[in-house]
């Protein structure tokens, strides 16, 4: 008889990943080893995947879906947070959410904080020295005032011997800033960070004053406080575009924020503010159009809006002189000196909604582009550990570490930085490392006698997987097939039907699937309108 204390089942393999989460995939490649490993989240699992050996290690502990994941710059640590979903019948706003810091090499948790925020978290980030973690709370209702949509940002000294189970500092997002969705630290100062929401950006500083004493000498000290500055948007306020992600430049005080219309908003600290120690203060210095919206876009599908060349993610790397040697211009440099030469020594790596990754220097001059990945809108870009170097001068080019790209179409592509120089477009596509589900899985069924599983998603992707070899056997894209059929009908003289009648929300959701007992045919329920059958051999 089975031990009632042992779980009845254990996970062996996870198909897919949380592809719509920002920065959802991370490279674990280091110069010392682990050159073929990735980390990503899938439901409530954190997955370490060696794509060379095709082996997964599943880091388990979360009981709610992981909403955000970050990996330290040295690839030694990982941090995960979850949605703190309430259990059925729970009258509260959230369950027992978790913040977990993992030792990547050991595949084991080293710190765990229960319920870091009342309703879970939406973002997490390491400081550059890995000693701190910042968390951004999901919106919650203030139990005292009844105010809704309240958010907090907290900083945790997770590596400290004492007090790592409570925040070193915590503050509420100002109500006029709207909801925040991302958080990032300054690369030179673990006391500065920034949060980004669709409407505003907030710059934060952990106050240097010691935390206040608790109500009695036996109680732990209260968390420290945080100062903030909410800059005006300047010219960006006149556009309807939403803000997406912010990153600090490695030299000086500048930062950049991406927008959904393909621009970068550059933030600078006025000299007078620096002189008076107001280091959080920023002004919108300029708004730079990175790519014209019509450049390189495929034609829109029937009933679908074209994918804008919006900025979906921003990563910034410090760039060293060739060979890493110091030059005379760098000696005596102070972070607020505003050196043009030093400012150009940054690689601003931007992921776009049109599926491209483009690399700019600190002056936002285009250095390299990866526009043939053909994997869908970019949601994450993650580099191998290592330095970026100049190629023949600050503006001549940059030698980047290799990187991986995650997309909202549930693909992970490995990219060698040298691919930007390839002449053949096929050679510039990178290497497909992971293929998952483009949306939620609504239907699944196991083959009666073979190690096959058919899955159907909300967006109408029907797939057959071999659970033994872990490989995708066949796929059909029901929405794309319908779009092509509609175009053929129109070309034959038919009148185009209203898009909402054919391609509306959930119209191609595969809500159920079943194999015929002989295993030769699959029946699927599509949306609320039809049941379709097909042979499993030539396409599910």
């Amino acid at each position: 008889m089975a031990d009632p204390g042992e779980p009845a089942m254990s996970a062996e393999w996870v198909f897919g990943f949380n592809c719509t989460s920002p920065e959802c995939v991370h490279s674990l490649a280091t110069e010392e080893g682990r050159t073929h490993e990735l980390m990503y989240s899938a439901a409530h699992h954190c997955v370490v995947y060696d794509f060379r050996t095709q082996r997964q290690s599943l880091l388990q502990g979360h009981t709610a879906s992981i909403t955000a994941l970050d990996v330290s710059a040295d690839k030694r640590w990982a941090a995960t947070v979850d949605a703190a979903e309430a259990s059925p019948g729970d009258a509260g706003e959230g369950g027992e959410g978790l913040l977990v810091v993992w030792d990547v090499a050991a595949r084991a948790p080293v710190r765990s904080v229960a319920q870091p925020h009342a309703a879970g978290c939406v973002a997490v980030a390491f400081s550059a020295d890995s000693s701190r973690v910042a968390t951004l709370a999901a919106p919650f209702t203030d139990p005292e005032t009844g105010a809704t949509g309240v958010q907090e940002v907290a900083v945790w000294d997770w590596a400290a011997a004492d007090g790592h189970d409570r925040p070193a500092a915590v503050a509420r997002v100002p109500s006029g800033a709207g909801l925040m969705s991302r958080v990032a630290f300054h690369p030179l100062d673990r006391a500065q960070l920034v949060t980004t929401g669709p409407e505003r950006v907030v710059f934060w500083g952990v106050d240097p004053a010691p935390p206040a004493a608790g109500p009695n000498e036996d109680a732990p000290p209260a968390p420290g406080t945080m100062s903030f500055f909410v800059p005006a948007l300047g010219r960006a306020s006149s556009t309807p575009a939403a803000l997406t992600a912010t990153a600090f430049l490695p030299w000086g005080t500048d930062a950049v924020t991406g927008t959904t219309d393909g621009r970068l908003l550059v933030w600078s600290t006025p000299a007078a503010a620096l002189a008076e120690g107001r280091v959080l203060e920023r002004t919108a210095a300029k708004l730079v159009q990175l790519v014209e919206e019509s450049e390189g876009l495929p034609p829109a599908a029937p009933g679908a809006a074209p994918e804008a060349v919006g900025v979906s993610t921003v990563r910034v790397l410090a760039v060293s002189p060739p060979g890493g040697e110091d030059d005379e211009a760098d000696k005596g440099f102070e972070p607020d000196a505003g050196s043009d030469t030093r400012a150009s020594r940054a690689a601003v790596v931007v992921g776009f909604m049109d599926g491209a990754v483009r690399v700019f220097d600190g002056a936002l001059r285009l250095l390299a582009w990866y526009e043939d990945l053909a994997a869908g809108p970019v949601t994450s870009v993650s580099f191998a550990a290592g330095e970026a170097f100049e190629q023949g001068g600050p503006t001549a080019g940059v030698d980047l570490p290799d990187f991986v790209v995650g997309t909202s179409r549930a693909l992970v592509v490995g990219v060698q930085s040298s691919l930007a120089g390839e002449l053949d477009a096929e050679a510039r596509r990178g290497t497909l490392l992971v293929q998952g589900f483009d949306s939620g899985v609504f239907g699944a069924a196991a083959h009666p006698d073979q190690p096959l599983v058919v899955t159907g998603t909300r967006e109408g992707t029907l797939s057959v997987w071999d659970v033994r070899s872990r490989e995708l056997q066949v796929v059909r894209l029901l929405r794309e097939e319908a779009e092509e059929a509609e175009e053929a009908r129109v070309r034959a003289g038919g009148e185009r039907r209203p898009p909402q009648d054919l391609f509306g929300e959930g119209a191609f959701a595969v809500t159920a699937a079943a194999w015929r007992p002989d295993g030769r045919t699959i029946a699927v329920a599509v949306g609320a309108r039809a049941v379709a059958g097909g042979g499993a051999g030539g396409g599910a």
Side-chain angles (χ1 to χ4, degrees), residues 319-323 327 341 344-345 388-395 397-399:
V319 178
S320 301
D327 65 17
T341 300
S344 69
R345 289 202 175 124
F389 293 96
E390 290 176 4
Q391 294 177 337
T395 62
V398 62
D399 183 12

Side-chain angles (χ1 to χ4, degrees), residues 27-369:
S27 169
L28 297 180
T30 64
E31 296 176 349
E32 296 78 22
R34 297 208 310 265
T35 57
H36 298 88
E37 288 185 353
L38 309 171
M39 177 174 277
Y40 49 85
S41 62
H44 57 283
H45 294 85
C46 187
V47 180
V48 178
Y49 175 53
D50 187 320
F51 55 85
R52 180 181 56 180
T53 63
Q54 294 189 322
R55 292 181 179 176
Q56 287 185 351
S57 298
L58 304 182
L59 310 186
Q60 302 178 73
H62 288 275
T63 56
S65 181
I66 294 174
T67 51
L69 159 70
D70 195 30
V71 173
S72 62
D74 60 6
K75 312 298 183 181
R76 184 178 177 185
W77 313 106
T80 52
V81 291
D82 63 34
E85 295 166 351
S87 301
D90 187 352
E93 216 178 310
E96 287 294 326
L98 285 175
L99 159 65
V100 183
V101 178
W102 308 84
D103 183 321
V104 173
R107 312 290 202 251
V110 292
R111 289 285 188 266
S112 180
V113 179
Q115 204 163 7
H117 298 284
C121 302
V122 297
V124 65
F126 276 102
S127 60
D129 65 359
S130 308
S131 66
R132 280 182 162 173
V133 165
T135 54
L136 181 60
F140 63 94
T141 300
D142 188 314
E144 296 181 0
T145 66
T148 59
V150 177
Q151 271 189 299
E152 293 176 336
V153 59
V155 173
W156 308 78
D157 287 332
W158 72 270
D162 298 312
H164 53 263
D165 58 344
R166 57 184 181 270
V170 64
R172 288 195 172 180
V173 175
S175 58
L179 294 180
M180 300 284 109
S181 57
R182 301 200 190 187
V183 62
F185 276 96
H186 194 291
L188 300 180
D189 187 354
R190 72 186 198 123
Q192 288 192 51
L193 54 157
V194 61
T195 57
T196 308
E199 301 173 5
R200 302 303 287 266
V201 171
V202 183
F203 292 91
W204 301 86
V206 178
D207 294 333
N216 59 68
E217 59 182 21
D218 295 326
T225 58
M226 299 177 69
S227 302
F228 64 85
F229 184 84
V230 185
L233 295 180
R235 285 193 299 154
S237 63
S238 63
T239 70
L243 309 178
T244 54
T246 301
F248 291 97
L249 295 185
W251 320 117
T253 60
D254 287 1
V256 292
T257 298
T259 71
T260 54
D261 64 353
R263 305 185 192 195
L264 279 185
L265 179 59
V266 181
W267 306 100
S268 294
T269 302
L274 281 176
E276 297 175 8
R278 304 195 308 271
V279 295
L280 298 183
E281 190 169 319
R282 299 294 195 286
T283 60
K286 55 184 174 180
L287 185 62
V288 181
Q289 184 75 53
L290 298 180
V291 182
E292 294 300 327
E293 189 150 344
S294 60
E295 280 188 37
L297 285 179
E307 288 177 345
V309 188
V311 172
S312 53
T313 183
V314 181
R315 292 286 192 179
V316 177
L317 303 180
V319 178
S320 301
E325 73 271 11
D326 292 330
D327 65 17
E328 292 300 320
D330 293 335
K331 294 181 180 178
F333 174 80
E334 297 295 332
D336 60 353
S339 164
D340 290 340
T341 300
R342 195 69 180 255
S344 69
R345 289 202 175 124
V348 181
V349 183
V350 183
F352 287 84
M353 298 174 187
D354 70 341
V357 175
R358 300 178 178 97
V359 184
F360 304 83
D361 69 6
L364 301 185
R365 294 170 292 214
L366 185 63
L367 296 177
W369 52 94

